[in-house]
Amino acid sequence: KMLGRVLCTVLFVGAFPSPAEASQGHISVVLLGATGDLAKKYLWQGLFQLYMDQVSSGHSFTFHGAALAALEPGQRLMFEVLKKLSCPADEAPNRCAVLKDQFLKLSQYHQLKTAENYTALSREIETLLRQEGLKEAGRIFYFSVPPFAYTEIARHINSSCRPRAGAWLRVVLEKPFGHDLQSAQQLAAELAGFFREEEMYRVDHYLGKQAVAHILPFRDQNRQFLDPIWNRHHVERVEVVLKETVDAKGRTSFYEQYGVIRDVLQNHLTEALMFLIMELPTNVSSAPEVVQHKLQAFQSLWGLERSSAVLGQYQAYDSQVQEELQEARGYVSTTPTFAGVLIHSNSLRWERVPFLLTSGKALDERVGYARVLFKNRAYCTQSGTLRDAGHSQCKPKQIIFHFGHGVLNTPAVLVSRNLFQPAMPKESWKEAEARSGLHVFGQPLSDFYTYSPVKERDAYSVLISHIYHGRKDFFITTENLLASWAFWTPLLDSTSRQPPRLYPGGVENQHLLDFEMVSGGLAFTLAEPAELLSPGGQVPSDFRAIQSKFRQSPLVSAWAEELIARLASDMEEAALRSVARSGQFHLALSGGSSPVGLFQRLARHHYGFPWQHTHVWLVDERCVPLTDGESNFQGLHRHLLQRVRVPYFNIHPMPVHLGRRLCVEEDRGAQLYAEDIAALVANASFDLVLLGVGTDGHTASLFPRSESGLEGAPTVVLTESPVKPHQRMSLSLPLINRARQVFVLVLGKGKHDITTLLSRVGHEPKKWPISGVSPSSGQLVWYVDYEALLG
């Protein structure tokens, strides 16, 4: 009985409790991809650390390495790795030797290639349990394999390798979890068919780094100091940075698919940022609370635009791609190896505070940190010597969570001495020894209270321990994952054809990659040193907005981002003209997804827009409460109204919710809105109406063959949509046509067919309501992006 002999030996050296206490059950750990790079470098060492830490916990263990290789070669490769395992320096040599020997005896290799292999593994585990008289506590399956293999492995585990009822299953998944929102949703849906959410542990190894893992506990333990200053009134900016000196050589196959944003920013740096900016849960050890607060932080972030990022690529990258991927000699890649991204939140705590995320390869140093830099309102009249003293209020004030490497070469937490002396848990963090001559961000280390871990631990060892303990707050939930991809995908799409700035690499980069915040976005501080070759023809920046005609009306067309910028400028010009003419501007806005980018552009870039003199009306509304996520007003509020200064009485939501009822005709909501328009808008003629177009030709909430709103009086009507929520309220076509100007925004390939159709049909509003838009004494302008226009 192999396991019994091991237990006896470990008991002999005093590493295990008595047999009576050793009754918490058996855990089988299965490492898939057991001979791969990640397993060799980190995972086996992490599993050995788990065994050393938990050998006296009352659980017994077996470790099953698995791969596609046949038994003999796979076993040989795996045990070559196991023989190189090491103990921490503070571990007694005798105990280390015994535990390592037992760990090797408890480890075995399996070829897992077919459904039969998984069935055989499960049978072997159950036979062992029966022979040793052990109760099964649970099984851990660690997927150290490419994501394309996840679904097949998941199917095998679910069908033939689950533990019996009463024991838990924990499935550990390594990134990448998709390459955009759609692929992440697909992978999540496939895995959800085999595992419950509580069974899945998605690893981001940065959450195991000691400085990152301590951000929330630090905020919690120092609430009394941080509560007054952890906000927009005191924080100047937040930086999360990972710099690497190595390049992508040997990994270009991966890098060509992912690039630096997907590889580092979307996961590692975003997770660290969430810990810094999320509202602090009452209990920072409660996984559900932490996850919920992270999701709320995601929802508060402004959408990213192309101007939110600066991108670079080290000069040798193209030649490395050509060599490793056998690309043609003239091949030019637009994959970024460097990125700086500016992020904002619309939360009250962080409004207008810039969050800067930066990462790159072939840079001048290897270092990672999260840095909160505070505003300094002090003016110091004393001489330079006094001003340079450690506690001087004129020195920079900052808190730094140092992930590792750099000049400190260790995880650390640093707090400026002129801020406060932090509370730190003495059992896990110690005050670092003074090191003269060392500077951090231009300041001597003596200017900081500096703390480092009592015992440094590898990130994977930390995370494997959390998997064992079932600590889900250190892993990425499905909701968290999809929220992150929903945030990053628009930027990835908008920059996919953007040529990155070339840089030589290392110290030779000098100031080439320095960037600054300009007009709500980022720009490199130095001009481009050389003209870049455009990869395979034109890219969006090569195009200028062109004007022509569409349905006998002016047409403005460009790539989506340039088009929205032009539309926002035209709207601001129209608003300024109207205010100059009449003292006010009546603007009616449509809902849906198309105008979201426009709303964000208006909020971020158009500070000259006369919001104080603007009345905001809705073109249409879904019959749901205004607080509902489906509400057009809710979307308008989230993306625009809460970010600009429109007087409260100038905002006019449609009254769809009266007397606790939704769009009931007897409540006269439509009639009341029409009366408000007649009372406030001269001649019921809006200065500007913004419309969109549905794939069926509907506009506002006027649908093909609508019984009301397509003709008759200029009023407000209740209508029926073919899709949920069915009930709607809408301006009628005659009321829209009384406007001085009507702008129609059409975006995306999905609108190409209807755009082509509309270019050929006449005035047939019964079939295609948008074709009935024709201002009687005003101007109609079409804003159509290239994808909708050209397909």
Side-chain angles (χ1 to χ4, degrees), residues 267-288:
N267 37 70
H268 305 329
L269 303 195
T270 300
E271 288 300 315
L273 178 66
M274 292 299 104
F275 282 159
L276 291 168
I277 70 170
M278 64 189 270
E279 291 300 310
L280 204 54
T282 307
N283 179 5
V284 296
S285 298
S286 165

Side-chain angles (χ1 to χ4, degrees), residues 45-94:
Q45 185 65 48
L47 292 173
F48 180 42
Q49 185 66 54
L50 174 70
Y51 181 65
M52 287 189 286
D53 293 342
Q54 302 303 329
V55 69
S56 58
S57 68
H59 282 125
S60 58
F61 294 87
T62 46
F63 299 90
H64 305 266
L68 297 175
L71 184 62
E72 193 276 324
Q75 191 166 273
R76 187 178 65 253
L77 282 171
M78 189 182 95
F79 277 93
E80 282 174 10
V81 177
L82 298 189
K83 287 170 187 174
K84 295 175 183 174
L85 295 176
S86 60
C87 295
D90 59 354
E91 191 69 70
N94 286 353

